[in-house]
Amino acid sequence: VQLQASGGGLVQAGESLRLSCAASGRIFSVKDMGWYRQAPGKQRELVAAIRSGGSTNYADSVKGRFTIARDNARNTVYLQMNSLQPEDTAVYYCNADVLTTIATKQNIWGQGTQVTVSS
């Protein structure tokens, strides 16, 4: 099972980006999915998470600007990022709890996608 992230890039402050992350491989079902980020010299932090039922939670720093969503039919999670600020600059990683069988769960990380916001 792997996660493939895409959608990062270089934008100016105030602009938007949408990240996507698709799970593929031997999948029975996908449970919690989320986005984390890691800026240079800082620890990786949770940005947003979404459960299989659709409930969400966000880091305080992105509330009101970022929206996480998922397409269960495509095993894909999205992160819509609006009003981006330079402090949002980081490598963004997707993460998911994947059931490969009814009784076997794996926690999977995507490869990371760079988001750079210039002032």
Side-chain angles (χ1 to χ4, degrees):
V1 178
Q2 62 180 352
L3 295 177
Q4 183 68 44
S6 62
L10 171 64
V11 297
Q12 294 187 333
E15 295 185 340
S16 300
L17 280 174
R18 189 173 90 145
L19 306 182
S20 300
C21 178
S24 62
R26 183 182 179 186
I27 298 171
F28 178 77
S29 70
V30 181
K31 305 306 250 185
D32 295 356
M33 304 184 83
W35 288 95
Y36 291 72
R37 66 187 180 187
Q38 187 166 20
K42 294 188 177 181
Q43 290 188 329
R44 191 173 297 189
E45 63 174 357
L46 175 68
V47 176
I50 184 167
R51 293 168 179 76
S52 55
S55 61
T56 60
N57 61 282
Y58 296 90
D60 288 344
S61 59
V62 307
K63 283 181 181 176
R65 300 188 298 123
F66 291 11
T67 302
I68 190 170
R70 63 190 289 167
D71 182 337
N72 290 330
R74 291 182 168 84
N75 292 324
T76 299
V77 62
Y78 305 96
L79 186 68
Q80 177 66 43
M81 305 184 292
N82 297 331
S83 301
L84 282 161
Q85 299 300 316
E87 52 265 36
D88 296 316
T89 295
V91 178
Y92 284 69
Y93 298 90
C94 56
N95 177 269
D97 284 331
V98 178
L99 292 179
T100 55
T101 72
I102 196 169
T104 305
K105 186 171 71 174
Q106 296 183 16
N107 184 261
I108 309 295
W109 287 93
Q111 84 282 14
T113 184
Q114 177 70 46
V115 172
T116 303
V117 185
S118 63
S119 57

